[in-house]
Amino acid sequence: MPVKAPVCHTQQAQISRRQLMRMGAWTGLGLAGSMFWHATRCTRLAAAGRTEQNPRPGGTLTMWIAADPANFDVHQNSTYVTQHVTAPCYNGLVQRDPLNPNRIIPDLAEGWEVSPDGRRYTFHLVPEVTFHDGRPCSSADVKMSLDRLRQPPAGVISLRQEVFDAVDEILTPDPLTVIIALKQGSASLLENLAEGHVAIYPQHILEKEGNMKKVIVGTGPFRLKKYTRGVSVELERNPHYFVKERPYLDGITIFIMPDPNTAYAAFRSGRLLMLRLLDIDLGKRVAQEFGDRIVIQRTAGYRFRALHLNTSREPWLDLRVRQAVDLAIDRPACIREVANGEGAIGGCMPPTSAWALTPGELHGIPGYGPDIKANRAHARRLLAEAGFPGGLKTTMLALQGSSSERLSAFLKGQLAQIGVEATVDVRETADAYDVLNRRAFDTASWETAFAVADPDSVFSEFFTCQAARNYSTLCLPEVDELFGQQSQALDSQERKKLVREMDRRILHGHGSLLLHWGNYLTAQWPQVRSWMQHPSLYSNQRMQDVWLARP
């Protein structure tokens, strides 16, 4: 039997929304709107026998991403390959505590107050912060950045526009004060401000360039040194960073490696100090080969795999056809065969959250029932009723990469069970996301991650009529109505009831077929210290406090 690598798990516990309102939205000290907190049960971020505990400066952290970023404008991108490259270079108003994801702590805002009615947030900025080009950062930069996200100008795509719909206006009475005035109370405001994509950009660069696609100019602990397309992104320490004695690292090098096996070989040789196990097969290989010489962190992630059916096109306009495809898919098999067991079945909200539908509630929804033979027989009857007794043909968009291609191959086989012949269209990252965002596909097998597990954020990003990542284009006005009601509900039980009703209606619409939720695994050599894997792929990527012990 191979020796297992030490694995850090995340456990979750529930607290009431009323408690969170007191902790967060009214005091600015906690995490408003979230229904669960995360605490590490395993804190072994070094192998046994390593005694060096005091952070020491120096060294370069090496990691990998699977593709070149389409561009550097994190406001307009959803892929992690952009966010992981830019996160070390930017700050937000607030942030998640790197070693305690349940807390929201200061960032560019050194403190804030909330009015008694919860409709006015006043943030006080850290003085004398400068961008990488030496220009000062002020409230004007914050206002322009947030306005760009909530009211994007022509030609700009904001994937987070709807989560800031409660914002009425942003005021800047002086260079170090930002006031966010709300139309109504929003318990999830701080959560969304702490989201990794809400970077503060320099106003003078935005006005000159129009976007941040080709440049990275932030206030963060690292700055762009060199980008070699297809090879690496090199970041260097920002000597003028406003947090004293940070960062510890001299730099970060992010290698671009489309093939996970190449990344694995680089980790084996020590060229990579961290290996994000986006391909679950690598997790097994790493644990078997290295045992307790390395550390593997694991947490239930804010990520799901789905098959998106473009409901603006035939034959997906017909609910019967969409339901038939949903009934054809064996979800437990998807977890076994695609995710190697690293996942859980759920609806629109993460299964670990208090908002999630129960297994019993899910079993009553077509596609979630356990009798796959009966499901597929029903599916074939629905196709016949819809005018496709002999089945139909479609194309399936897929992202280049072993995990995504494995998912599309699995789904192709599943759909074939009911006579749906899918031709898989595999594209590299930039092209695939362009097709996806333009909704220029028939179906799309996709893995999606997000940052904030609050219904305001999740539904407004994926499932409401105008949601930026509503890839299926399914629009259910009754869901939008329920969304507005739950967003303002202060009673946790009332809100939970509304959220679960939204979830059921979305699943019964069979637009985006949620296959399963996945875990995150990251392997690291024991000299990497002070980094904790968050349930969000987009959280805790700044690396400001990470340091390297002697190997």
Side-chain angles (χ1 to χ4, degrees):
M1 292 289 292
V3 179
K4 291 185 177 181
V7 179
C8 294
H9 294 273
T10 296
Q11 66 181 26
Q12 301 170 343
Q14 300 174 11
I15 59 179
S16 73
R17 178 173 171 81
R18 197 173 298 278
Q19 285 175 297
L20 284 160
M21 295 288 282
R22 287 199 296 267
M23 291 165 51
W26 310 139
T27 67
L29 297 177
L31 184 57
S34 176
M35 289 302 293
F36 48 91
W37 58 279
H38 305 270
T40 58
R41 189 163 32 146
C42 171
T43 57
R44 291 182 59 190
L45 299 186
R50 302 289 180 178
T51 59
E52 185 178 14
Q53 297 299 323
N54 295 324
R56 70 183 186 100
T60 298
L61 179 68
T62 50
M63 306 184 298
W64 76 295
I65 54 177
D68 284 278
N71 58 67
F72 293 137
D73 195 340
V74 71
H75 286 183
Q76 299 193 72
N77 279 277
S78 60
T79 172
Y80 85 97
V81 299
T82 294
Q83 204 270 345
H84 283 200
V85 165
T86 59
C89 303
Y90 288 108
N91 294 94
L93 266 180
V94 295
Q95 62 175 317
R96 294 189 184 278
D97 186 333
L99 296 180
N100 188 358
N102 68 296
R103 295 181 63 222
I104 289 179
I105 61 174
D107 201 358
L108 286 176
E110 60 182 2
W112 60 90
E113 301 99 40
V114 185
S115 64
D117 64 358
R119 294 177 60 182
R120 194 176 181 91
Y121 286 67
T122 302
F123 296 89
H124 306 285
L125 303 184
V126 177
E128 300 181 1
V129 175
T130 59
F131 287 103
H132 296 156
D133 61 1
R135 297 279 291 272
C137 176
S138 74
S139 59
D141 301 292
V142 175
K143 174 177 169 56
M144 173 167 270
S145 298
L146 297 182
D147 280 344
R148 186 174 188 258
L149 286 162
R150 71 186 190 90
Q151 296 177 333
V156 172
I157 298 172
S158 172
L159 301 179
R160 285 135 205 108
Q161 181 176 0
E162 199 166 349
V163 299
F164 293 116
D165 187 58
V167 176
D168 186 29
E169 60 179 337
I170 299 175
L171 307 172
T172 55
D174 62 63
L176 294 178
T177 304
V178 176
I179 299 173
I180 300 180
L182 304 177
K183 303 169 189 174
Q184 65 268 337
S186 173
S188 62
L189 178 66
L190 285 177
E191 282 213 51
N192 288 310
L193 287 173
E195 206 253 275
H197 291 86
V198 186
I200 302 305
Y201 285 164
Q203 181 179 12
H204 62 281
I205 299 292
L206 277 176
E207 290 177 341
K208 177 183 177 182
E209 301 288 338
N211 58 60
M212 301 294 289
K213 291 184 176 182
K214 296 181 179 180
V215 296
I216 302 177
V217 181
T219 56
F222 298 93
R223 60 192 183 189
L224 180 62
K225 178 182 179 181
K226 183 180 181 182
Y227 170 40
T228 305
R229 186 170 182 81
V231 178
S232 66
V233 178
E234 298 177 51
L235 308 177
E236 63 182 359
R237 185 178 189 272
N238 174 11
H240 307 294
Y241 190 48
F242 65 91
V243 179
K244 187 178 180 180
E245 298 180 354
R246 300 292 193 280
Y248 294 116
L249 299 169
D250 290 332
I252 302 172
T253 298
I254 305 169
F255 291 100
I256 300 163
M257 299 176 175
D259 179 12
N261 292 307
T262 302
Y264 178 71
F267 182 77
R268 293 180 74 247
S269 69
R271 187 183 181 202
L272 294 182
L273 293 178
M274 294 180 69
L275 181 68
R276 301 185 195 281
L277 302 171
L278 300 178
D279 187 310
I280 301 300
D281 281 343
L282 293 184
K284 291 185 176 180
R285 292 172 62 186
V286 167
Q288 290 172 351
E289 179 171 355
F290 294 99
D292 62 2
R293 288 185 292 147
I294 62 166
V295 174
I296 296 178
Q297 295 194 52
R298 172 191 281 115
T299 188
Y302 301 161
R303 64 190 294 210
F304 60 84
R305 286 189 170 102
L307 176 63
H308 303 289
L309 309 178
N310 191 340
T311 64
S312 67
R313 295 184 174 190
E314 295 285 1
W316 312 116
L317 291 170
D318 193 321
L319 176 61
R320 294 170 298 182
V321 179
R322 303 199 302 269
Q323 183 176 326
V325 169
D326 207 347
L327 286 163
I329 300 170
D330 186 340
R331 285 171 166 82
C334 186
I335 295 175
R336 291 192 306 270
E337 298 177 24
V338 179
N340 286 329
E342 294 285 350
I345 294 172
C348 298
M349 295 298 296
T352 51
S353 82
W355 309 107
L357 294 172
T358 66
E361 290 172 318
L362 286 171
H363 282 176
I365 297 170
Y368 286 86
D371 190 340
I372 189 63
K373 289 184 178 179
N375 289 346
R376 287 172 176 165
H378 186 193
R380 286 187 284 269
R381 289 195 298 271
L382 286 171
L383 285 180
E385 290 174 10
F388 299 99
L392 59 89
K393 295 183 179 181
T394 188
T395 59
M396 185 185 300
L397 176 67
L399 186 65
Q400 188 177 55
S402 62
S403 179
S404 179
E405 291 180 52
R406 185 193 307 177
L407 174 63
S408 60
F410 171 82
L411 289 172
K412 177 182 174 70
Q414 295 285 293
L415 270 57
Q417 297 295 316
I418 62 168
V420 175
E421 181 183 340
T423 300
V424 179
D425 179 17
V426 179
R427 304 196 182 208
E428 58 85 25
T429 300
D431 192 23
Y433 271 94
D434 176 65
V435 172
L436 187 75
N437 289 328
R438 289 190 293 107
R439 313 300 191 257
F441 62 88
D442 291 330
T443 72
S445 63
W446 214 258
E447 181 173 347
T448 302
F450 59 90
V452 181
D454 182 270
D456 279 356
S457 179
V458 174
F459 282 88
S460 68
E461 189 169 349
F462 296 105
F463 303 117
T464 57
C465 289
Q466 300 303 317
R469 290 209 271 178
N470 180 355
Y471 297 130
S472 74
T473 71
L474 179 67
C475 178
L476 300 175
E478 63 272 25
V479 169
D480 282 30
E481 183 177 348
L482 288 166
F483 176 82
Q485 294 174 23
Q486 67 80 34
S487 185
Q488 299 181 52
L490 298 182
D491 180 80
S492 62
Q493 293 305 310
E494 178 189 358
R495 192 183 188 209
K496 184 186 296 185
K497 181 179 178 181
L498 292 167
V499 169
R500 289 181 172 178
E501 180 60 22
M502 279 198 300
D503 205 331
R504 282 189 289 269
R505 288 177 183 256
I506 288 293
L507 297 182
H508 277 287
H510 304 285
S512 291
L513 315 184
L514 279 76
L515 307 175
H516 73 86
W517 291 78
N519 298 332
Y520 283 129
L521 286 80
T522 299
Q524 61 193 68
W525 288 102
Q527 60 261 43
V528 178
R529 307 292 179 89
S530 295
W531 184 80
M532 174 183 173
Q533 182 166 264
H534 285 197
S536 166
L537 183 65
Y538 306 112
S539 179
N540 198 25
Q541 303 302 325
R542 187 174 297 159
M543 307 300 177
Q544 152 182 321
D545 301 307
V546 174
W547 59 283
L548 300 179
R550 291 177 178 84

